[in-house]
PDB file of all heavy atoms in Angstrom:
ATOM      1  N   THR A   1     -15.310 -15.205  -3.603  1.00 71.00           N
ATOM      2  CA  THR A   1     -15.875 -14.052  -4.209  1.00 71.00           C
ATOM      3  C   THR A   1     -17.377 -13.858  -3.924  1.00 71.00           C
ATOM      4  O   THR A   1     -18.156 -14.852  -3.925  1.00 71.00           O
ATOM      5  CB  THR A   1     -15.799 -14.266  -5.805  1.00 71.00           C
ATOM      6  OG1 THR A   1     -14.464 -14.299  -6.155  1.00 71.00           O
ATOM      7  CG2 THR A   1     -16.355 -13.052  -6.587  1.00 71.00           C
ATOM      8  N   PHE A   2     -17.814 -12.640  -3.598  1.00 74.00           N
ATOM      9  CA  PHE A   2     -19.201 -12.284  -3.279  1.00 74.00           C
ATOM     10  C   PHE A   2     -20.158 -12.427  -4.461  1.00 74.00           C
ATOM     11  O   PHE A   2     -19.657 -11.806  -5.467  1.00 74.00           O
ATOM     12  CB  PHE A   2     -19.218 -10.981  -2.621  1.00 74.00           C
ATOM     13  CG  PHE A   2     -20.682 -10.500  -2.346  1.00 74.00           C
ATOM     14  CD1 PHE A   2     -21.498 -11.101  -1.298  1.00 74.00           C
ATOM     15  CD2 PHE A   2     -21.232  -9.502  -3.176  1.00 74.00           C
ATOM     16  CE1 PHE A   2     -22.645 -10.626  -1.252  1.00 74.00           C
ATOM     17  CE2 PHE A   2     -22.428  -8.994  -2.943  1.00 74.00           C
ATOM     18  CZ  PHE A   2     -23.313  -9.659  -1.958  1.00 74.00           C
ATOM     19  N   GLU A   3     -21.139 -13.096  -4.419  1.00 79.00           N
ATOM     20  CA  GLU A   3     -22.023 -13.104  -5.486  1.00 79.00           C
ATOM     21  C   GLU A   3     -23.460 -12.538  -4.995  1.00 79.00           C
ATOM     22  O   GLU A   3     -24.134 -12.939  -4.064  1.00 79.00           O
ATOM     23  CB  GLU A   3     -22.286 -14.668  -5.950  1.00 79.00           C
ATOM     24  CG  GLU A   3     -23.340 -14.756  -7.124  1.00 79.00           C
ATOM     25  CD  GLU A   3     -23.496 -16.108  -7.531  1.00 79.00           C
ATOM     26  OE1 GLU A   3     -22.818 -17.004  -6.900  1.00 79.00           O
ATOM     27  OE2 GLU A   3     -24.354 -16.373  -8.481  1.00 79.00           O
ATOM     28  N   LEU A   4     -23.851 -11.391  -5.623  1.00 82.00           N
ATOM     29  CA  LEU A   4     -25.079 -10.769  -5.408  1.00 82.00           C
ATOM     30  C   LEU A   4     -26.295 -11.427  -6.120  1.00 82.00           C
ATOM     31  O   LEU A   4     -26.372 -11.457  -7.324  1.00 82.00           O
ATOM     32  CB  LEU A   4     -25.032  -9.341  -5.796  1.00 82.00           C
ATOM     33  CG  LEU A   4     -26.305  -8.458  -5.500  1.00 82.00           C
ATOM     34  CD1 LEU A   4     -26.394  -8.327  -4.024  1.00 82.00           C
ATOM     35  CD2 LEU A   4     -26.128  -7.025  -6.072  1.00 82.00           C
ATOM     36  N   THR A   5     -27.167 -12.055  -5.336  1.00 85.00           N
ATOM     37  CA  THR A   5     -28.257 -12.815  -5.907  1.00 85.00           C
ATOM     38  C   THR A   5     -29.593 -12.205  -5.478  1.00 85.00           C
ATOM     39  O   THR A   5     -29.679 -11.409  -4.491  1.00 85.00           O
ATOM     40  CB  THR A   5     -28.285 -14.246  -5.327  1.00 85.00           C
ATOM     41  OG1 THR A   5     -28.337 -14.307  -3.931  1.00 85.00           O
ATOM     42  CG2 THR A   5     -26.952 -15.020  -5.735  1.00 85.00           C
ATOM     43  N   LYS A   6     -30.670 -12.540  -6.034  1.00 87.00           N
ATOM     44  CA  LYS A   6     -31.964 -12.040  -5.691  1.00 87.00           C
ATOM     45  C   LYS A   6     -32.427 -12.374  -4.388  1.00 87.00           C
ATOM     46  O   LYS A   6     -32.931 -11.580  -3.659  1.00 87.00           O
ATOM     47  CB  LYS A   6     -32.964 -12.607  -6.756  1.00 87.00           C
ATOM     48  CG  LYS A   6     -34.411 -11.961  -6.571  1.00 87.00           C
ATOM     49  CD  LYS A   6     -35.365 -12.407  -7.605  1.00 87.00           C
ATOM     50  CE  LYS A   6     -36.743 -11.954  -7.457  1.00 87.00           C
ATOM     51  NZ  LYS A   6     -37.667 -12.538  -8.453  1.00 87.00           N
ATOM     52  N   GLU A   7     -32.069 -13.655  -3.991  1.00 89.00           N
ATOM     53  CA  GLU A   7     -32.419 -14.188  -2.580  1.00 89.00           C
ATOM     54  C   GLU A   7     -31.602 -13.289  -1.647  1.00 89.00           C
ATOM     55  O   GLU A   7     -32.260 -13.055  -0.588  1.00 89.00           O
ATOM     56  CB  GLU A   7     -31.987 -15.653  -2.538  1.00 89.00           C
ATOM     57  CG  GLU A   7     -32.949 -16.577  -3.327  1.00 89.00           C
ATOM     58  CD  GLU A   7     -32.553 -16.537  -4.773  1.00 89.00           C
ATOM     59  OE1 GLU A   7     -31.502 -16.047  -5.131  1.00 89.00           O
ATOM     60  OE2 GLU A   7     -33.389 -16.977  -5.605  1.00 89.00           O
ATOM     61  N   TYR A   8     -30.505 -13.079  -1.808  1.00 88.00           N
ATOM     62  CA  TYR A   8     -29.618 -12.220  -0.834  1.00 88.00           C
ATOM     63  C   TYR A   8     -30.235 -10.796  -0.690  1.00 88.00           C
ATOM     64  O   TYR A   8     -30.309 -10.377   0.522  1.00 88.00           O
ATOM     65  CB  TYR A   8     -28.088 -12.156  -1.276  1.00 88.00           C
ATOM     66  CG  TYR A   8     -27.158 -11.534  -0.236  1.00 88.00           C
ATOM     67  CD1 TYR A   8     -26.632 -12.290   0.645  1.00 88.00           C
ATOM     68  CD2 TYR A   8     -27.004 -10.179  -0.416  1.00 88.00           C
ATOM     69  CE1 TYR A   8     -25.892 -11.550   1.607  1.00 88.00           C
ATOM     70  CE2 TYR A   8     -26.058  -9.488   0.561  1.00 88.00           C
ATOM     71  CZ  TYR A   8     -25.587 -10.326   1.507  1.00 88.00           C
ATOM     72  OH  TYR A   8     -24.682  -9.655   2.417  1.00 88.00           O
ATOM     73  N   VAL A   9     -30.543 -10.242  -1.815  1.00 89.00           N
ATOM     74  CA  VAL A   9     -31.089  -8.839  -1.608  1.00 89.00           C
ATOM     75  C   VAL A   9     -32.530  -8.974  -0.965  1.00 89.00           C
ATOM     76  O   VAL A   9     -32.758  -8.139  -0.094  1.00 89.00           O
ATOM     77  CB  VAL A   9     -31.403  -8.317  -3.141  1.00 89.00           C
ATOM     78  CG1 VAL A   9     -32.254  -6.954  -3.112  1.00 89.00           C
ATOM     79  CG2 VAL A   9     -30.129  -8.072  -3.830  1.00 89.00           C
ATOM     80  N   GLU A  10     -33.283  -9.824  -1.191  1.00 89.00           N
ATOM     81  CA  GLU A  10     -34.655 -10.068  -0.522  1.00 89.00           C
ATOM     82  C   GLU A  10     -34.349 -10.274   1.058  1.00 89.00           C
ATOM     83  O   GLU A  10     -35.059  -9.680   1.888  1.00 89.00           O
ATOM     84  CB  GLU A  10     -35.384 -11.176  -1.100  1.00 89.00           C
ATOM     85  CG  GLU A  10     -36.014 -10.918  -2.566  1.00 89.00           C
ATOM     86  CD  GLU A  10     -36.571 -12.182  -3.171  1.00 89.00           C
ATOM     87  OE1 GLU A  10     -36.451 -13.187  -2.524  1.00 89.00           O
ATOM     88  OE2 GLU A  10     -37.200 -11.922  -4.127  1.00 89.00           O
ATOM     89  N   ASN A  11     -33.434 -11.080   1.335  1.00 91.00           N
ATOM     90  CA  ASN A  11     -32.977 -11.371   2.906  1.00 91.00           C
ATOM     91  C   ASN A  11     -32.485  -9.967   3.472  1.00 91.00           C
ATOM     92  O   ASN A  11     -33.084  -9.677   4.619  1.00 91.00           O
ATOM     93  CB  ASN A  11     -31.772 -12.246   2.895  1.00 91.00           C
ATOM     94  CG  ASN A  11     -31.421 -12.563   4.318  1.00 91.00           C
ATOM     95  OD1 ASN A  11     -32.239 -12.817   5.296  1.00 91.00           O
ATOM     96  ND2 ASN A  11     -30.154 -12.494   4.526  1.00 91.00           N
ATOM     97  N   ILE A  12     -31.832  -9.111   2.810  1.00 91.00           N
ATOM     98  CA  ILE A  12     -31.320  -7.897   3.342  1.00 91.00           C
ATOM     99  C   ILE A  12     -32.471  -6.947   3.518  1.00 91.00           C
ATOM    100  O   ILE A  12     -32.713  -6.160   4.481  1.00 91.00           O
ATOM    101  CB  ILE A  12     -30.121  -7.190   2.551  1.00 91.00           C
ATOM    102  CG1 ILE A  12     -28.896  -8.144   2.425  1.00 91.00           C
ATOM    103  CG2 ILE A  12     -29.971  -5.799   2.968  1.00 91.00           C
ATOM    104  CD1 ILE A  12     -28.339  -8.239   3.943  1.00 91.00           C
ATOM    105  N   GLN A  13     -33.301  -6.878   2.557  1.00 91.00           N
ATOM    106  CA  GLN A  13     -34.584  -6.046   2.501  1.00 91.00           C
ATOM    107  C   GLN A  13     -35.423  -6.403   3.761  1.00 91.00           C
ATOM    108  O   GLN A  13     -35.957  -5.562   4.380  1.00 91.00           O
ATOM    109  CB  GLN A  13     -35.418  -6.248   1.305  1.00 91.00           C
ATOM    110  CG  GLN A  13     -34.677  -5.436   0.049  1.00 91.00           C
ATOM    111  CD  GLN A  13     -35.454  -5.753  -1.133  1.00 91.00           C
ATOM    112  OE1 GLN A  13     -36.146  -6.798  -1.356  1.00 91.00           O
ATOM    113  NE2 GLN A  13     -35.384  -4.764  -2.141  1.00 91.00           N
ATOM    114  N   GLU A  14     -35.619  -7.600   4.051  1.00 92.00           N
ATOM    115  CA  GLU A  14     -36.366  -8.097   5.153  1.00 92.00           C
ATOM    116  C   GLU A  14     -35.707  -7.764   6.498  1.00 92.00           C
ATOM    117  O   GLU A  14     -36.475  -7.141   7.478  1.00 92.00           O
ATOM    118  CB  GLU A  14     -36.407  -9.669   5.157  1.00 92.00           C
ATOM    119  CG  GLU A  14     -37.383 -10.320   6.314  1.00 92.00           C
ATOM    120  CD  GLU A  14     -37.496 -11.778   6.187  1.00 92.00           C
ATOM    121  OE1 GLU A  14     -37.096 -12.290   5.123  1.00 92.00           O
ATOM    122  OE2 GLU A  14     -38.009 -12.253   7.168  1.00 92.00           O
ATOM    123  N   LEU A  15     -34.365  -7.800   6.547  1.00 91.00           N
ATOM    124  CA  LEU A  15     -33.631  -7.330   7.720  1.00 91.00           C
ATOM    125  C   LEU A  15     -33.829  -5.850   7.970  1.00 91.00           C
ATOM    126  O   LEU A  15     -33.970  -5.307   9.150  1.00 91.00           O
ATOM    127  CB  LEU A  15     -32.149  -7.745   7.612  1.00 91.00           C
ATOM    128  CG  LEU A  15     -31.791  -9.162   7.683  1.00 91.00           C
ATOM    129  CD1 LEU A  15     -30.318  -9.418   7.516  1.00 91.00           C
ATOM    130  CD2 LEU A  15     -32.294  -9.816   9.086  1.00 91.00           C
ATOM    131  N   ILE A  16     -33.839  -5.093   6.908  1.00 92.00           N
ATOM    132  CA  ILE A  16     -34.038  -3.591   6.936  1.00 92.00           C
ATOM    133  C   ILE A  16     -35.473  -3.315   7.456  1.00 92.00           C
ATOM    134  O   ILE A  16     -35.722  -2.414   8.295  1.00 92.00           O
ATOM    135  CB  ILE A  16     -33.693  -2.904   5.635  1.00 92.00           C
ATOM    136  CG1 ILE A  16     -32.266  -3.162   5.254  1.00 92.00           C
ATOM    137  CG2 ILE A  16     -34.070  -1.382   5.628  1.00 92.00           C
ATOM    138  CD1 ILE A  16     -31.800  -2.651   3.859  1.00 92.00           C
ATOM    139  N   ALA A  17     -36.401  -4.093   6.885  1.00 91.00           N
ATOM    140  CA  ALA A  17     -37.809  -3.948   7.238  1.00 91.00           C
ATOM    141  C   ALA A  17     -37.994  -4.098   8.745  1.00 91.00           C
ATOM    142  O   ALA A  17     -38.758  -3.410   9.414  1.00 91.00           O
ATOM    143  CB  ALA A  17     -38.659  -4.699   6.451  1.00 91.00           C
ATOM    144  N   ASN A  18     -37.230  -5.109   9.296  1.00 90.00           N
ATOM    145  CA  ASN A  18     -37.358  -5.335  10.707  1.00 90.00           C
ATOM    146  C   ASN A  18     -36.368  -4.627  11.606  1.00 90.00           C
ATOM    147  O   ASN A  18     -36.399  -4.725  12.779  1.00 90.00           O
ATOM    148  CB  ASN A  18     -37.013  -6.786  10.933  1.00 90.00           C
ATOM    149  CG  ASN A  18     -38.130  -7.716  10.296  1.00 90.00           C
ATOM    150  OD1 ASN A  18     -39.172  -7.453  10.155  1.00 90.00           O
ATOM    151  ND2 ASN A  18     -37.510  -8.981   9.961  1.00 90.00           N
ATOM    152  N   GLU A  19     -35.631  -3.709  10.875  1.00 89.00           N
ATOM    153  CA  GLU A  19     -34.623  -2.790  11.509  1.00 89.00           C
ATOM    154  C   GLU A  19     -33.702  -3.570  12.404  1.00 89.00           C
ATOM    155  O   GLU A  19     -33.399  -3.130  13.584  1.00 89.00           O
ATOM    156  CB  GLU A  19     -35.342  -1.624  12.309  1.00 89.00           C
ATOM    157  CG  GLU A  19     -36.108  -0.753  11.356  1.00 89.00           C
ATOM    158  CD  GLU A  19     -36.598   0.473  12.155  1.00 89.00           C
ATOM    159  OE1 GLU A  19     -36.519   0.517  13.319  1.00 89.00           O
ATOM    160  OE2 GLU A  19     -37.382   1.338  11.375  1.00 89.00           O
ATOM    161  N   ASP A  20     -33.236  -4.715  11.910  1.00 89.00           N
ATOM    162  CA  ASP A  20     -32.411  -5.746  12.757  1.00 89.00           C
ATOM    163  C   ASP A  20     -30.964  -5.240  12.436  1.00 89.00           C
ATOM    164  O   ASP A  20     -30.254  -5.881  11.581  1.00 89.00           O
ATOM    165  CB  ASP A  20     -32.655  -7.059  12.235  1.00 89.00           C
ATOM    166  CG  ASP A  20     -32.024  -7.994  13.260  1.00 89.00           C
ATOM    167  OD1 ASP A  20     -31.131  -7.731  13.908  1.00 89.00           O
ATOM    168  OD2 ASP A  20     -32.416  -9.374  13.210  1.00 89.00           O
ATOM    169  N   SER A  21     -30.483  -4.227  13.098  1.00 88.00           N
ATOM    170  CA  SER A  21     -29.116  -3.630  12.983  1.00 88.00           C
ATOM    171  C   SER A  21     -28.082  -4.608  13.139  1.00 88.00           C
ATOM    172  O   SER A  21     -26.986  -4.710  12.302  1.00 88.00           O
ATOM    173  CB  SER A  21     -28.988  -2.493  13.904  1.00 88.00           C
ATOM    174  OG  SER A  21     -29.874  -1.386  13.489  1.00 88.00           O
ATOM    175  N   ALA A  22     -28.207  -5.414  14.322  1.00 90.00           N
ATOM    176  CA  ALA A  22     -27.111  -6.309  14.612  1.00 90.00           C
ATOM    177  C   ALA A  22     -26.950  -7.375  13.323  1.00 90.00           C
ATOM    178  O   ALA A  22     -25.868  -7.727  13.052  1.00 90.00           O
ATOM    179  CB  ALA A  22     -27.406  -7.163  15.767  1.00 90.00           C
ATOM    180  N   ALA A  23     -28.119  -7.978  12.826  1.00 90.00           N
ATOM    181  CA  ALA A  23     -27.965  -8.833  11.850  1.00 90.00           C
ATOM    182  C   ALA A  23     -27.368  -8.257  10.519  1.00 90.00           C
ATOM    183  O   ALA A  23     -26.668  -8.979   9.794  1.00 90.00           O
ATOM    184  CB  ALA A  23     -29.443  -9.554  11.497  1.00 90.00           C
ATOM    185  N   ILE A  24     -27.766  -7.054  10.227  1.00 89.00           N
ATOM    186  CA  ILE A  24     -27.284  -6.399   8.990  1.00 89.00           C
ATOM    187  C   ILE A  24     -25.856  -6.177   9.123  1.00 89.00           C
ATOM    188  O   ILE A  24     -25.043  -6.417   8.174  1.00 89.00           O
ATOM    189  CB  ILE A  24     -27.970  -5.082   8.823  1.00 89.00           C
ATOM    190  CG1 ILE A  24     -29.519  -5.244   8.421  1.00 89.00           C
ATOM    191  CG2 ILE A  24     -27.378  -4.199   7.773  1.00 89.00           C
ATOM    192  CD1 ILE A  24     -30.377  -3.889   8.442  1.00 89.00           C
ATOM    193  N   GLN A  25     -25.254  -5.783  10.279  1.00 89.00           N
ATOM    194  CA  GLN A  25     -23.940  -5.627  10.472  1.00 89.00           C
ATOM    195  C   GLN A  25     -23.138  -6.808  10.326  1.00 89.00           C
ATOM    196  O   GLN A  25     -22.079  -6.905   9.835  1.00 89.00           O
ATOM    197  CB  GLN A  25     -23.694  -4.834  11.797  1.00 89.00           C
ATOM    198  CG  GLN A  25     -24.095  -3.456  11.869  1.00 89.00           C
ATOM    199  CD  GLN A  25     -24.207  -2.885  13.297  1.00 89.00           C
ATOM    200  OE1 GLN A  25     -23.897  -3.575  14.284  1.00 89.00           O
ATOM    201  NE2 GLN A  25     -24.597  -1.561  13.524  1.00 89.00           N
ATOM    202  N   ALA A  26     -23.728  -7.851  10.888  1.00 89.00           N
ATOM    203  CA  ALA A  26     -23.078  -9.198  10.710  1.00 89.00           C
ATOM    204  C   ALA A  26     -23.041  -9.638   9.234  1.00 89.00           C
ATOM    205  O   ALA A  26     -22.041 -10.205   8.803  1.00 89.00           O
ATOM    206  CB  ALA A  26     -23.871 -10.253  11.491  1.00 89.00           C
ATOM    207  N   GLN A  27     -24.091  -9.360   8.508  1.00 88.00           N
ATOM    208  CA  GLN A  27     -24.043  -9.711   7.029  1.00 88.00           C
ATOM    209  C   GLN A  27     -22.989  -8.908   6.203  1.00 88.00           C
ATOM    210  O   GLN A  27     -22.333  -9.359   5.300  1.00 88.00           O
ATOM    211  CB  GLN A  27     -25.508  -9.439   6.443  1.00 88.00           C
ATOM    212  CG  GLN A  27     -26.485 -10.536   6.794  1.00 88.00           C
ATOM    213  CD  GLN A  27     -26.386 -11.744   6.114  1.00 88.00           C
ATOM    214  OE1 GLN A  27     -25.746 -11.781   5.110  1.00 88.00           O
ATOM    215  NE2 GLN A  27     -27.273 -12.605   6.558  1.00 88.00           N
ATOM    216  N   MET A  28     -22.892  -7.595   6.623  1.00 88.00           N
ATOM    217  CA  MET A  28     -21.880  -6.788   5.976  1.00 88.00           C
ATOM    218  C   MET A  28     -20.462  -6.999   6.310  1.00 88.00           C
ATOM    219  O   MET A  28     -19.567  -6.456   5.694  1.00 88.00           O
ATOM    220  CB  MET A  28     -22.298  -5.312   6.212  1.00 88.00           C
ATOM    221  CG  MET A  28     -23.798  -4.955   5.727  1.00 88.00           C
ATOM    222  SD  MET A  28     -23.985  -5.088   3.856  1.00 88.00           S
ATOM    223  CE  MET A  28     -24.973  -6.553   3.883  1.00 88.00           C
ATOM    224  N   GLU A  29     -20.180  -7.636   7.460  1.00 85.00           N
ATOM    225  CA  GLU A  29     -18.887  -7.687   8.091  1.00 85.00           C
ATOM    226  C   GLU A  29     -17.877  -8.337   7.117  1.00 85.00           C
ATOM    227  O   GLU A  29     -16.672  -7.750   7.146  1.00 85.00           O
ATOM    228  CB  GLU A  29     -19.013  -8.429   9.353  1.00 85.00           C
ATOM    229  CG  GLU A  29     -17.636  -8.436  10.138  1.00 85.00           C
ATOM    230  CD  GLU A  29     -17.848  -9.060  11.437  1.00 85.00           C
ATOM    231  OE1 GLU A  29     -18.879  -9.538  11.828  1.00 85.00           O
ATOM    232  OE2 GLU A  29     -16.736  -9.336  12.210  1.00 85.00           O
ATOM    233  N   GLY A  30     -18.093  -9.302   6.357  1.00 80.00           N
ATOM    234  CA  GLY A  30     -17.173  -9.824   5.526  1.00 80.00           C
ATOM    235  C   GLY A  30     -17.073  -9.351   4.133  1.00 80.00           C
ATOM    236  O   GLY A  30     -16.366  -9.930   3.261  1.00 80.00           O
ATOM    237  N   LEU A  31     -17.884  -8.235   3.862  1.00 85.00           N
ATOM    238  CA  LEU A  31     -17.942  -7.776   2.494  1.00 85.00           C
ATOM    239  C   LEU A  31     -16.997  -6.608   2.329  1.00 85.00           C
ATOM    240  O   LEU A  31     -16.690  -5.818   3.212  1.00 85.00           O
ATOM    241  CB  LEU A  31     -19.320  -7.323   2.219  1.00 85.00           C
ATOM    242  CG  LEU A  31     -20.537  -8.492   2.181  1.00 85.00           C
ATOM    243  CD1 LEU A  31     -21.787  -7.868   1.706  1.00 85.00           C
ATOM    244  CD2 LEU A  31     -20.077  -9.682   1.387  1.00 85.00           C
ATOM    245  N   PHE A  32     -16.523  -6.459   1.120  1.00 87.00           N
ATOM    246  CA  PHE A  32     -15.712  -5.196   0.688  1.00 87.00           C
ATOM    247  C   PHE A  32     -16.824  -4.079   0.407  1.00 87.00           C
ATOM    248  O   PHE A  32     -17.981  -4.408  -0.005  1.00 87.00           O
ATOM    249  CB  PHE A  32     -14.883  -5.538  -0.553  1.00 87.00           C
ATOM    250  CG  PHE A  32     -13.741  -6.458  -0.220  1.00 87.00           C
ATOM    251  CD1 PHE A  32     -13.818  -7.674  -0.724  1.00 87.00           C
ATOM    252  CD2 PHE A  32     -12.596  -6.008   0.400  1.00 87.00           C
ATOM    253  CE1 PHE A  32     -12.658  -8.654  -0.371  1.00 87.00           C
ATOM    254  CE2 PHE A  32     -11.474  -6.861   0.538  1.00 87.00           C
ATOM    255  CZ  PHE A  32     -11.647  -8.131   0.164  1.00 87.00           C
ATOM    256  N   ALA A  33     -16.277  -2.836   0.411  1.00 87.00           N
ATOM    257  CA  ALA A  33     -17.172  -1.690   0.121  1.00 87.00           C
ATOM    258  C   ALA A  33     -17.787  -1.859  -1.269  1.00 87.00           C
ATOM    259  O   ALA A  33     -18.871  -1.431  -1.514  1.00 87.00           O
ATOM    260  CB  ALA A  33     -16.380  -0.407   0.253  1.00 87.00           C
ATOM    261  N   ALA A  34     -16.869  -2.291  -2.259  1.00 86.00           N
ATOM    262  CA  ALA A  34     -17.422  -2.551  -3.714  1.00 86.00           C
ATOM    263  C   ALA A  34     -18.635  -3.460  -3.712  1.00 86.00           C
ATOM    264  O   ALA A  34     -19.562  -3.266  -4.532  1.00 86.00           O
ATOM    265  CB  ALA A  34     -16.327  -2.934  -4.500  1.00 86.00           C
ATOM    266  N   ASP A  35     -18.520  -4.583  -2.922  1.00 88.00           N
ATOM    267  CA  ASP A  35     -19.632  -5.381  -2.814  1.00 88.00           C
ATOM    268  C   ASP A  35     -21.013  -4.798  -2.355  1.00 88.00           C
ATOM    269  O   ASP A  35     -21.998  -4.994  -2.839  1.00 88.00           O
ATOM    270  CB  ASP A  35     -19.286  -6.700  -2.008  1.00 88.00           C
ATOM    271  CG  ASP A  35     -18.082  -7.480  -2.534  1.00 88.00           C
ATOM    272  OD1 ASP A  35     -17.964  -7.499  -3.698  1.00 88.00           O
ATOM    273  OD2 ASP A  35     -17.363  -8.035  -1.795  1.00 88.00           O
ATOM    274  N   ILE A  36     -20.733  -3.960  -1.281  1.00 90.00           N
ATOM    275  CA  ILE A  36     -21.985  -3.386  -0.641  1.00 90.00           C
ATOM    276  C   ILE A  36     -22.496  -2.294  -1.620  1.00 90.00           C
ATOM    277  O   ILE A  36     -23.700  -2.065  -1.706  1.00 90.00           O
ATOM    278  CB  ILE A  36     -21.533  -2.747   0.638  1.00 90.00           C
ATOM    279  CG1 ILE A  36     -21.024  -3.823   1.613  1.00 90.00           C
ATOM    280  CG2 ILE A  36     -22.720  -2.079   1.369  1.00 90.00           C
ATOM    281  CD1 ILE A  36     -20.462  -3.250   2.937  1.00 90.00           C
ATOM    282  N   THR A  37     -21.633  -1.718  -2.420  1.00 90.00           N
ATOM    283  CA  THR A  37     -22.088  -0.725  -3.347  1.00 90.00           C
ATOM    284  C   THR A  37     -23.099  -1.350  -4.425  1.00 90.00           C
ATOM    285  O   THR A  37     -24.109  -0.899  -4.765  1.00 90.00           O
ATOM    286  CB  THR A  37     -20.811  -0.060  -4.117  1.00 90.00           C
ATOM    287  OG1 THR A  37     -19.993   0.525  -3.166  1.00 90.00           O
ATOM    288  CG2 THR A  37     -21.332   0.885  -5.130  1.00 90.00           C
ATOM    289  N   GLY A  38     -22.565  -2.550  -4.788  1.00 88.00           N
ATOM    290  CA  GLY A  38     -23.538  -3.169  -5.718  1.00 88.00           C
ATOM    291  C   GLY A  38     -24.956  -3.598  -5.177  1.00 88.00           C
ATOM    292  O   GLY A  38     -25.888  -3.534  -5.733  1.00 88.00           O
ATOM    293  N   LEU A  39     -24.764  -4.017  -3.808  1.00 89.00           N
ATOM    294  CA  LEU A  39     -26.012  -4.296  -3.106  1.00 89.00           C
ATOM    295  C   LEU A  39     -26.875  -3.005  -2.915  1.00 89.00           C
ATOM    296  O   LEU A  39     -28.178  -3.070  -3.256  1.00 89.00           O
ATOM    297  CB  LEU A  39     -25.849  -4.811  -1.708  1.00 89.00           C
ATOM    298  CG  LEU A  39     -26.804  -5.028  -0.771  1.00 89.00           C
ATOM    299  CD1 LEU A  39     -27.895  -5.983  -1.229  1.00 89.00           C
ATOM    300  CD2 LEU A  39     -26.288  -5.467   0.632  1.00 89.00           C
ATOM    301  N   ILE A  40     -26.226  -1.950  -2.573  1.00 89.00           N
ATOM    302  CA  ILE A  40     -27.092  -0.651  -2.493  1.00 89.00           C
ATOM    303  C   ILE A  40     -27.875  -0.232  -3.776  1.00 89.00           C
ATOM    304  O   ILE A  40     -29.013   0.248  -3.685  1.00 89.00           O
ATOM    305  CB  ILE A  40     -26.219   0.428  -1.982  1.00 89.00           C
ATOM    306  CG1 ILE A  40     -25.933   0.330  -0.469  1.00 89.00           C
ATOM    307  CG2 ILE A  40     -26.738   1.753  -2.189  1.00 89.00           C
ATOM    308  CD1 ILE A  40     -25.006   1.263   0.133  1.00 89.00           C
ATOM    309  N   SER A  41     -27.263  -0.531  -4.926  1.00 86.00           N
ATOM    310  CA  SER A  41     -27.791  -0.129  -6.075  1.00 86.00           C
ATOM    311  C   SER A  41     -29.104  -0.889  -6.373  1.00 86.00           C
ATOM    312  O   SER A  41     -29.983  -0.567  -7.324  1.00 86.00           O
ATOM    313  CB  SER A  41     -26.846  -0.321  -7.313  1.00 86.00           C
ATOM    314  OG  SER A  41     -26.553  -1.765  -7.446  1.00 86.00           O
ATOM    315  N   GLU A  42     -29.292  -2.067  -5.708  1.00 88.00           N
ATOM    316  CA  GLU A  42     -30.510  -2.895  -5.890  1.00 88.00           C
ATOM    317  C   GLU A  42     -31.612  -2.603  -4.860  1.00 88.00           C
ATOM    318  O   GLU A  42     -32.749  -3.121  -4.964  1.00 88.00           O
ATOM    319  CB  GLU A  42     -30.077  -4.431  -5.750  1.00 88.00           C
ATOM    320  CG  GLU A  42     -29.135  -4.943  -6.777  1.00 88.00           C
ATOM    321  CD  GLU A  42     -29.695  -4.883  -8.220  1.00 88.00           C
ATOM    322  OE1 GLU A  42     -30.811  -5.045  -8.369  1.00 88.00           O
ATOM    323  OE2 GLU A  42     -28.884  -4.537  -9.094  1.00 88.00           O
ATOM    324  N   LEU A  43     -31.247  -1.696  -3.880  1.00 88.00           N
ATOM    325  CA  LEU A  43     -32.236  -1.332  -2.854  1.00 88.00           C
ATOM    326  C   LEU A  43     -32.877   0.019  -3.270  1.00 88.00           C
ATOM    327  O   LEU A  43     -32.283   0.796  -3.936  1.00 88.00           O
ATOM    328  CB  LEU A  43     -31.518  -1.197  -1.536  1.00 88.00           C
ATOM    329  CG  LEU A  43     -30.762  -2.562  -1.051  1.00 88.00           C
ATOM    330  CD1 LEU A  43     -30.046  -2.215   0.334  1.00 88.00           C
ATOM    331  CD2 LEU A  43     -31.796  -3.639  -0.768  1.00 88.00           C
ATOM    332  N   GLY A  44     -33.991   0.283  -2.601  1.00 87.00           N
ATOM    333  CA  GLY A  44     -34.629   1.648  -2.794  1.00 87.00           C
ATOM    334  C   GLY A  44     -33.875   2.559  -1.854  1.00 87.00           C
ATOM    335  O   GLY A  44     -32.978   2.236  -0.947  1.00 87.00           O
ATOM    336  N   THR A  45     -34.156   3.873  -2.045  1.00 89.00           N
ATOM    337  CA  THR A  45     -33.252   4.841  -1.471  1.00 89.00           C
ATOM    338  C   THR A  45     -33.387   4.798   0.058  1.00 89.00           C
ATOM    339  O   THR A  45     -32.334   4.987   0.650  1.00 89.00           O
ATOM    340  CB  THR A  45     -33.726   6.350  -1.822  1.00 89.00           C
ATOM    341  OG1 THR A  45     -33.624   6.522  -3.391  1.00 89.00           O
ATOM    342  CG2 THR A  45     -32.913   7.438  -1.328  1.00 89.00           C
TER     343      THR A  45
END
């Protein structure tokens, strides 16, 4: 089961800031769409 933590969100935000598309896609690869939906709600627009 995927667990959305503060550390995970901060890690994704750092990857986005660096525009590291490959790393982001690797992180998202094993997640369900519902898991990513929860993550998106924690990010800015």
Side-chain angles (χ1 to χ4, degrees):
T1 304
F2 171 72
E3 183 179 356
L4 185 63
T5 63
K6 183 179 179 181
E7 291 76 16
Y8 185 86
V9 173
E10 290 175 351
N11 179 48
I12 296 298
Q13 288 174 329
E14 185 178 345
L15 294 176
I16 293 173
N18 296 328
E19 297 188 358
D20 193 342
S21 299
I24 292 173
Q25 291 168 359
Q27 288 280 351
M28 299 298 106
E29 189 174 352
L31 301 183
F32 291 102
D35 298 329
I36 304 175
T37 303
L39 170 62
I40 282 179
S41 66
E42 300 297 326
L43 302 174
T45 300

